[in-house]
Amino acid sequence: MRVVIIALVVILLGLAALSVGLTLFVFYIPQKKRMPNDKVRDSRIPAHLCQHMNDTYRKMDEIPHEIIELTSYDGYKLVGHYYELGGAGAPIVIGVHGYHGVYKFDGVGSFNYAIDYKKNILLIDQRAHGKSGSHFTCFGLKERYDCKQWVDYVLERFGQQQDIYLLGVSMGAATVTMTTALNLPYQVKAVIADCGYTSPEAIIKNTGKSMGICTAVAYPFVYAGAWLLAKIKLDEATSIEAVKRLKLPILFIHGQKDDFVPLEMARELYETCGSSKKQLYVAPDAYHAMSGIVDTKKYGKVIDEFISSL
């Protein structure tokens, strides 16, 4: 009997360790693991695109801008980077980057769009990224409340007549789509969701499978660990459920060659979406989170034409 008890304890401890390990791997982003906001040196990105991105990075550094800090609903620092590129009173784009991303990399397309079409832009550091607080990313589940807080901040600072657009890339797209379920004010005029996933569960399982992990076995431990350590339930909200009830205009953008978030997810979101004003643009030859980089001018034109049609 004693041997059985010891064996059970060992098994339970092993399962607990597995859950913690998977949770830390998926959700934990300490400061030292955060992508830097310096030059792009990724050998996987063609040299001309690296140059284009670095030119945009330089603009982001050189153009006068304001660093804004808020405190999240659960006590963490949230940081934003505000650029007045369209002048006082121009619409404000709230740009939201993706998983393990930075406001500069994922903001190349939206920043250049704001310059070309005279919009002001607030590029935020999501929690557990950049200079924002927390060490746990939550796949949009807590970030949706942060995004809503940025909307409230913009209206409090710039007035109730301020038009706002939400533009998210990858996990940022999931963040902004899930934010739409939080009774957004009428000043939010449209949403642009670039390469977003349908749900946290779907993208975690899809990524696990691509890594050769048996997700049927691993996912329950990820779910439990997320609940215990990150304080989230992975099924408490999804993009697919949010868009079912969506009334706001929404533009879905997705790279044709996206090898991280399947294009089928964008098609599913588009087909499920309840908005009477919706559009899906598939960017040719673009990999994940690269639609606004491989052809910045086309990216901006697609967004402008959609917004101008409202």
Side-chain angles (χ1 to χ4, degrees), residues 73-134:
Y73 73 96
D74 53 350
Y76 293 105
K77 180 174 73 172
L78 301 175
V79 175
H81 313 261
Y82 177 68
Y83 297 81
E84 194 163 284
L85 304 173
I92 294 177
V93 178
I94 299 179
V96 189
H97 66 75
Y99 178 72
H100 278 278
V102 293
Y103 78 92
K104 282 185 175 179
F105 189 106
D106 290 344
V108 167
S110 57
F111 185 81
N112 282 296
Y113 159 72
I115 290 176
D116 291 343
Y117 294 94
K118 302 296 185 290
K119 302 291 190 292
N120 299 327
I121 189 165
L122 174 61
L123 295 169
I124 67 171
D125 289 340
Q126 295 226 66
R127 60 172 58 214
H129 295 78
K131 295 183 178 180
S132 288
S134 181

Side-chain angles (χ1 to χ4, degrees), residues 84-249:
E84 194 163 284
L85 304 173
I92 294 177
V93 178
I94 299 179
V96 189
H97 66 75
Y99 178 72
H100 278 278
V102 293
Y103 78 92
K104 282 185 175 179
F105 189 106
D106 290 344
V108 167
S110 57
F111 185 81
N112 282 296
Y113 159 72
I115 290 176
D116 291 343
Y117 294 94
K118 302 296 185 290
K119 302 291 190 292
N120 299 327
I121 189 165
L122 174 61
L123 295 169
I124 67 171
D125 289 340
Q126 295 226 66
R127 60 172 58 214
H129 295 78
K131 295 183 178 180
S132 288
S134 181
H135 291 309
F136 286 97
T137 185
C138 301
F139 283 71
L141 295 171
K142 288 188 177 181
E143 291 85 352
R144 58 190 167 135
Y145 297 109
D146 300 338
C147 186
K148 173 63 162 55
Q149 193 166 338
W150 282 113
V151 170
D152 294 340
Y153 167 82
V154 167
L155 293 178
E156 181 179 348
R157 174 173 172 178
F158 296 100
Q160 296 299 306
Q161 301 307 310
Q162 180 64 60
D163 287 347
I164 299 171
Y165 302 110
L166 303 181
L167 194 166
V169 178
S170 190
M171 189 184 80
T175 296
V176 298
T177 53
M178 286 192 274
T179 303
T180 63
L182 300 180
N183 297 316
L184 286 173
Y186 70 88
Q187 293 91 342
V188 178
K189 301 302 183 182
V191 176
I192 300 95
D194 181 350
C195 63
Y197 46 79
T198 52
S199 70
E201 177 179 355
I203 192 59
I204 289 170
K205 286 184 174 180
N206 183 77
T207 305
K209 287 178 183 177
S210 69
M211 298 170 66
I213 297 172
C214 179
T215 56
V217 174
Y219 184 75
F221 294 100
V222 173
Y223 185 97
W227 179 65
L228 290 169
L229 297 180
K231 310 300 182 185
I232 54 172
K233 292 183 178 180
L234 288 173
D235 55 359
E236 67 184 66
T238 67
S239 297
I240 201 74
E241 287 299 322
V243 299
K244 281 181 182 178
R245 304 187 298 274
L246 185 64
K247 302 303 180 185
L248 276 172

